[in-house]
Structure formats: C-alpha cells, structure tokens
Amino acid sequence: MTTRDSTTVLYDPELRSVMVRALYGTPLAIPVGMAIATIVFAACAAITGDTAFAILSMAMGLIGAFRLAAQFLYRHRQSSISTVAFERLAYAGAWATALTMSCFGAYAVAFHADDRIATLAVAQTIGYIAGIAGRNSSRPFVSNVQVTFAALPFAGALIASQTPAFVVIAGALLMTVMLTISSSNVIHRVFVSNFLKTRDLQTMATTDSLTSLLNRRGFIAEVEKRLGSRERIHLLSVDVDDFKQINDTLGHDVGDALLAMIARRISSVLSPCDKAARIGGDEFMIASGRASDEVAALAAQIISLFDEPVCVANARLSVTVSIGVTNATGESVERSLKHCDLALYKAKVEGKCRWLSYVPEMSEAYDSRVRLEQDLSRAITDGQMELHYQPIYNPRGRTIIMCEGLLRWKHPTRGLISPSDFIPLAEQNGFIKILGAYAIEQALKDSMSWPEPIGVNVNVSAKQFHRDHDLVGIIQDALRRTGVAPHRLTMEITETTLADDKDFVIEHLHRIRALGVKIALDDFGTGYSSLSYFAELPIDLLKIDRAFVGSIAISSKAQALMKAIRGLATDLNVPMVVEGVETPEQFDAVARFRPYGIQGFLLARPLPKDAIDLIIDRRVTLPAIDRQATALPNRDRSSAA
C-alpha cells in the first residue's frame, strides 16, 4: 500500500469505518475456522500425547473466544467504542491466530516424524494461509502481516526437515506470501479508488452545487436516517420572501449570489446537531437535533440575520425570510415535510418575516382549502359563478351612473361563498385569470340592456397582469363580441397591482386605455404609495376607500382629509367616487365635497342582474333608501372582485 493510500485510510473517518466493517464482515467464518483449528490441535494432542499440542489447542480456543467477543461488541456496541479500538482488536486477533497456527505447523514438522501428524500440520497450515490470501484484501497491512506470521516459521521448519517434499512445499509457501502481498496491495488501491469515486458521485447526487449544502435527495436521506435511529429531530423550512422579484429585476446572477450568501449565513449559526439543505429555488431546510425551545431560538436567530440590508454583487438588498417549524420526531418524512410547509405557508400569509410552528389546525385549514380548490375548479366549468352589481349613484340627481360587477359563487351545498374566501385561492392557483375573463365578458353582456350612459366597472387582480396572460386581448375580444362602447367599461385596480412588475402593468394600462376603456384606482388612501402611484398611472376615476367615510359626519380631521383629496382630484381633473356610505349623515357629509359618485349600502347593496334591472333607471330618495336597507337581507359586505 502506498503512503498516500495509508494516509487516506488513516485520516478519512468514513473510509476507515468501511475498512473496519470489512474486518468484521464474515462473522461466521472466523469462529468456525477457529473451532476447526482447535479440534485439529486437540486431535494431534490426543494422538501423540504431546502437551505442546494441548497448550496450542487451548491457546487457539482462547483466541477464538477473544475474536468472538470482539465480533459481539462490534455488532452491539459500535456507538460506545471507537473505530480505532475495533481495528486494533481485529489486528490482535488475526495476528495471534496466524502466530499460533504457524507455531503448530512448525512444531509438528520439526518434532514429530509421524506421517499422520505431519499431514495434519501441513494441510491445516496451508489451508489457513490459502484462506488468508483471499481475505482482508481491503486491508493489505492486516493480511500481509498475517501471511508473514503464518508462513515464515512454518516454511523455515519445512526447509529444516530436509525432506524434498517439504522443501517444495516451503518454496510454494514463500511464493504464495510474495504473491499475496503484491496482489493485496493492488486490490487495495483499486478498492480505495473505487470507494472515493463512488463517494464523490454520491456527494454530487446529494449536494446542491450552488450552496454546497445538501440537496433535496440528500436532505431526505439525512432525515430518514435520523428518524430510523429514533433521534429527536425538528425540521425548519426557510423561504426567502419575494425572491422572484429580485430574480426578475436584478437577474439570476444576483439571485444566485444572494442564495449562496444566505446559505453561508444560515450555516454560520448551526451546531453539529443541525444539517442544512437547499431543497429547491429559494427554499432551505434544516434538520435539527435541538430541544423545542432551542429550535425556537434558532428560528428567531435566522430571521435576525437579515435585519440589515445586504450587499450582493454591488446591489444593496433588503432581504427577509419566513420559517415554518415542525417536530418530526416519530413522524414519517412525508408527513413532517407537509407539516413544515403548512407552517411556512401560514407564516407567509400572516405577513412574512416571521416563524411559526406547526399546529394540527393548520392541517385542517389545508384540507379545507384543498376541498375548496377542487370545488372551485368544478364551479368554473359548471357555471356556478355569477356577477352581482353594486350601483354608483350621482349624489345630486341620485341616479345610477355605473355599476360595479362583483363575483359571487353559489356553491350547490355550501350556499353563497364569500369572495374573501375564494378570490385569494383563485389568485394562488391561477384560476383568477379564467374568472377575470368571465367577469369582463359577463359584465359587458349584462350592461347591454342598460341605458347607454350607464357604465360597468370590473375589478382586475394583479395576477391578471402576468406576462403569460393577454389581458388587453381579452378585453378587446369581449368588447368586439358584445358591441358595448369601450367608454362604458371601467377597469378597477389597486396599488398592489403594481407590486410585482410595475413597468409591465403601467404599459398594459396605457394599452387598455388606448382601447377607450377607463381606468379607476380603487381603495385610494389605504396603501403606502398611493400618491406616487396616482402620479404614474393613467387614471380616469379615483375611488376613495370606505376608511375615510366612517367618521366623516362628526370628525373634522376626516373632513379635512376628504377636502385635501378632493382638491388633489380636482387639480388633476380626475373624477372622485366615495365608497362605503352607509348612513344618511355620511351621505350628506360626503355630498358636500361634490364627488362624481357615491357608492354604499345606504344606496344599494350588491344585487343580481335581474334586481339591478328593476332600479337601473330609477331615482332614489332618502325615505326609499331607508326602506330598502331594512328590507334587503344582510349579505356579506365584501366587495372583493
């Protein structure tokens, strides 16, 4: 064996462990061989009455017991005894056996002329040496010393006997020793080379090339190993918030550099009982052997790693992560991963940049969500969706000037399902694109029977502005099929529409407006960037959120805010619609600011098409409004589209 191979075995714990496992790889062969040798030695003692044979027989029996005990310890006490100790036990047993066997053969040839004894000695010793030549090829040091100990004293005795046959046998033995030493070294080098290559391939198959952490396959194998050994284990799923936006705006090179940096930071706070992995995209996972309170501290520490902006590839980024945690002890891998994902999803829903631990209620919510998603898919194909309309009134003439179309789902068994329940789900699974196209077409069809001045508004989700969805083409086709004048259609957006791809959205809003369709900015005043977005967007109508209306009849501050917004809208020549008017006092207070339109439950709740048709050209008075508010059922007040 070369010096390099020896060093590799000595300082590579995994390879050394494999080598030691090979020494104990034939648990039955060693005791059986030792028992046979002991019986042969005892037989020679019985035939000759020679005490030396009896002593050798007892020695071989004791060595056999020693090696059997070492085998037992290796099988049952590996975790508490070092690999080096087991290696030395194997050496001692093998070399003691070889010396005892050689002493037997040499003594029998040198001191007994009985052909029976000589034959037994030659057969037993040569058989043992031949057996060594085929064993321990993965550890040449062991087998080379073993063959030398067994062969040289015996060969010396054969030559000293000067018996021609014994001399020939001695020559054959010496040749066997040289061939065994040579071949075992070659075989060992091949073994080490193959082992290292195989391990490199396994490492490549289980390691993420970007971060050098485990990949999904390697992580699952690690978790299965820990679960199989009944170790305590927690799983943490770490996901980078809004990573797609970084990739889309700064490029994949920056995104990759960011992921590598995140991997280094996560690794810096891990202990020896933790194992991290990148299981795909921007999601990392950690298998931890810590106690529950320590795992909670670890999750909080990982989140705090990104309290300050980070510099990646000359870009300064504000990065946050969300984390889902679950106790996987005693669970299956699949179940544990699902629980971890549910906790992560909940953390994302609750606002990101936080960690949550799994609780059973999350599974119940998930199962309910899955059933709702399946029902939603059928609802689209079975025609369970319909539009209700909430009118927007001219505050002076109290006549309808436009109607806002709002999606409603009439479930066959669950009844009317709130848009706040199914719209977010539709946005997540992509159904919103189908629902949005339906809403546009149906709203235009329903408006065909209304008087010409009355328009129809349709809410648009940010998900409908994806690059793989031709919203402009859908609107254009719907206008062409229905023949409705484009100026009667208003598309309502919120400032969140611009969050993912602002330039793309603004470009498409200009294209929609070029069709003659109007654009309304909904929920104005509730976000962080309303004024800046108001300046950038092609806006034809400004809808003031209900948050400004609640106390407007009695609050001077609310009135001052409304006055400021009214002044802004007037200066920019953008008509203003006020939402959420529910009392006559609010109506009177809002009307003093002379808005273009007023919308709210005081005037009308969202109604089906046939109910809207009955009031579409009627003027409402306050007494009639009061009676209508009392008579109509108290439906869900959500106006999500």
Side-chain angles (χ1 to χ4, degrees):
M1 182 170 60
T2 66
T3 302
R4 178 180 179 275
D5 292 335
S6 301
T7 304
T8 300
V9 175
L10 187 61
Y11 293 103
D12 190 317
E14 186 180 0
L15 179 55
R16 192 168 192 172
S17 177
V18 171
M19 295 296 190
V20 172
R21 194 182 312 138
L23 295 176
Y24 291 90
T26 52
L28 291 178
I30 290 176
V32 170
M34 300 292 289
I36 293 173
T38 302
I39 293 171
V40 171
F41 292 2
C44 290
I47 293 172
T48 62
D50 192 331
T51 305
F53 286 135
I55 294 172
L56 289 171
S57 178
M58 287 188 291
M60 187 61 78
L62 290 173
I63 295 170
F66 169 81
R67 300 187 73 178
L68 194 60
Q71 285 278 1
F72 178 83
L73 289 174
Y74 184 77
R75 297 292 171 188
H76 300 284
R77 299 287 300 279
Q78 285 190 54
S79 59
S80 58
I81 301 176
S82 69
T83 300
V84 175
F86 280 119
E87 189 175 52
R88 290 172 179 172
L89 288 175
Y91 288 176
W95 294 342
T97 302
L99 279 173
T100 304
M101 191 68 69
S102 183
C103 289
F104 165 72
Y107 181 79
V109 170
F111 296 101
H112 287 274
D114 190 328
D115 290 341
R116 293 174 299 171
I117 301 302
T119 301
L120 280 173
V122 170
Q124 178 64 45
T125 308
I126 290 178
Y128 173 74
I129 294 172
I132 294 174
R135 283 174 47 79
N136 296 333
S137 58
S138 63
R139 296 306 302 267
F141 176 63
V142 180
S143 58
N144 291 348
V145 173
Q146 204 172 354
V147 169
T148 301
F149 280 0
L152 291 186
F154 182 53
L158 290 173
I159 293 171
S161 70
Q162 297 184 358
T163 302
F166 285 174
V167 172
V168 172
I169 292 173
L173 278 177
L174 294 174
M175 184 64 69
T176 300
V177 170
M178 289 186 291
L179 291 175
T180 298
I181 292 174
S182 175
S183 63
S184 64
N185 287 336
V186 172
I187 293 173
H188 174 71
R189 285 195 294 271
V190 172
F191 176 87
V192 171
S193 176
N194 288 341
F195 173 85
L196 296 176
K197 288 179 181 177
T198 301
R199 188 173 64 179
D200 288 344
L201 291 174
Q202 290 175 339
T203 300
M204 292 174 61
T206 58
T207 302
D208 175 58
S209 58
L210 177 63
T211 62
S212 298
L213 301 177
L214 291 176
N215 60 16
R216 185 178 186 86
R217 177 186 297 178
F219 183 75
I220 290 177
E222 174 70 19
V223 174
E224 288 177 338
K225 176 184 174 183
R226 296 194 184 194
L227 291 176
S229 62
R230 301 187 181 278
E231 295 180 30
R232 176 178 63 195
I233 179 173
H234 286 79
L235 300 184
L236 296 86
S237 181
V238 184
D239 189 83
V240 184
D241 297 328
D242 302 316
F243 179 75
K244 182 178 183 299
Q245 186 175 356
I246 295 174
N247 252 357
D248 291 345
T249 57
L250 299 178
H252 289 274
D253 289 343
V254 174
D256 288 349
L258 175 61
L259 292 175
M261 183 274 290
I262 291 173
R264 290 192 298 271
R265 290 201 175 186
I266 291 175
S267 298
S268 69
V269 298
L270 300 183
S271 66
C273 69
D274 304 323
K275 200 73 173 179
R278 176 180 173 236
I279 63 172
D282 60 333
E283 188 174 356
F284 298 84
M285 291 206 74
I286 301 169
S288 177
R290 307 185 192 202
S292 297
D293 55 342
E294 295 174 334
V295 170
L298 174 62
Q301 184 180 15
I302 292 174
I303 289 176
S304 69
L305 291 174
F306 305 98
D307 286 344
E308 300 294 331
V310 299
C311 292
V312 178
N314 297 323
R316 186 174 174 83
L317 305 174
S318 294
V319 179
T320 62
V321 298
S322 299
I323 302 176
V325 180
T326 187
N327 186 346
T329 308
E331 298 278 6
S332 67
V333 176
E334 295 78 9
R335 189 177 180 84
S336 300
L337 291 175
K338 177 184 175 182
H339 290 172
C340 211
D341 284 343
L342 290 175
L344 175 63
Y345 171 78
K346 185 68 172 177
K348 292 278 192 180
V349 169
E350 292 193 359
K352 305 176 182 177
C353 192
R354 67 193 63 211
W355 71 273
L356 287 178
S357 189
Y358 169 80
V359 293
E361 289 77 11
M362 293 179 182
S363 286
E364 296 171 8
Y366 172 78
D367 293 339
S368 176
R369 179 175 176 269
V370 169
R371 289 193 297 270
L372 188 64
E373 184 172 355
Q374 293 170 345
D375 289 349
L376 181 58
S377 178
R378 287 191 292 269
I380 295 172
T381 57
D382 294 349
Q384 297 173 16
M385 294 293 174
E386 62 180 45
L387 282 180
H388 286 196
Y389 296 92
Q390 185 174 24
I392 298 173
Y393 284 86
N394 180 325
R396 289 163 295 283
R398 296 199 183 106
T399 56
I400 297 175
I401 54 177
M402 60 182 67
C403 293
E404 180 181 357
L406 303 169
L407 274 172
R408 293 293 183 264
W409 178 8
K410 283 191 173 180
H411 193 280
T413 59
R414 299 172 61 177
L416 199 64
I417 298 179
S418 169
S420 62
D421 290 333
F422 72 84
I423 291 297
L425 179 61
E427 289 180 328
Q428 291 168 14
N429 59 28
F431 289 158
I432 192 64
K433 297 173 184 177
I434 300 174
L435 292 176
Y438 161 79
I440 294 169
E441 180 106 8
Q442 190 62 44
L444 289 173
K445 287 180 179 178
D446 290 344
S447 69
M448 292 172 65
S449 62
W450 300 341
E452 178 67 26
I454 298 176
V456 64
N457 296 19
V458 179
N459 291 278
V460 184
S461 165
K463 304 298 182 181
Q464 292 174 259
F465 283 93
H466 278 191
R467 294 177 180 269
D468 61 350
H469 184 66
D470 186 10
L471 178 61
V472 178
I474 289 171
I475 295 172
Q476 191 172 24
D477 290 344
L479 289 169
R480 184 179 66 252
R481 283 193 294 269
T482 60
V484 175
H487 70 270
R488 295 180 62 193
L489 175 62
T490 300
M491 308 305 296
E492 293 192 12
I493 64 167
T494 63
E495 67 179 52
T496 57
T497 306
L498 305 179
D500 290 338
D501 198 344
K502 185 177 72 171
D503 293 339
F504 179 81
V505 172
I506 292 175
E507 175 198 344
H508 279 65
L509 289 176
H510 281 289
R511 290 177 58 192
I512 292 171
R513 206 175 185 216
L515 298 175
V517 176
K518 297 176 182 177
I519 305 295
L521 182 61
D522 197 9
D523 298 336
F524 180 78
T526 59
Y528 295 103
S529 308
S530 293
L531 291 178
S532 63
Y533 285 158
F534 191 27
E536 294 181 80
L537 294 173
I539 298 299
D540 299 292
L541 188 68
L542 188 65
K543 296 191 72 176
I544 309 303
D545 188 77
R546 64 181 65 244
F548 287 92
V549 177
S551 60
I552 195 167
I554 57 175
S555 171
S556 59
K557 289 185 179 180
Q559 294 171 8
L561 286 172
M562 186 64 73
K563 181 179 180 181
I565 295 173
R566 172 60 186 172
L568 175 66
T570 301
D571 290 343
L572 295 174
N573 195 28
V574 176
M576 182 177 74
V577 171
V578 181
E579 302 177 293
V581 175
E582 299 185 359
T583 68
E585 292 77 15
Q586 291 174 352
F587 182 91
D588 289 339
V590 168
R592 285 198 294 270
F593 293 98
R594 302 175 63 189
Y596 173 69
I598 294 179
Q599 183 180 25
F601 289 175
L602 174 67
L603 301 168
R605 297 174 182 271
L607 299 171
K609 167 71 163 56
D610 54 357
I612 285 291
D613 287 345
L614 296 176
I615 64 172
I616 194 71
D617 55 356
R618 294 181 184 177
R619 181 181 185 276
V620 295
T621 60
L622 287 178
I625 293 170
D626 292 338
R627 286 196 297 273
Q628 180 192 22
T630 303
L632 286 172
N634 185 21
R635 298 191 180 185
D636 185 350
R637 294 189 174 191
S638 172
S639 61

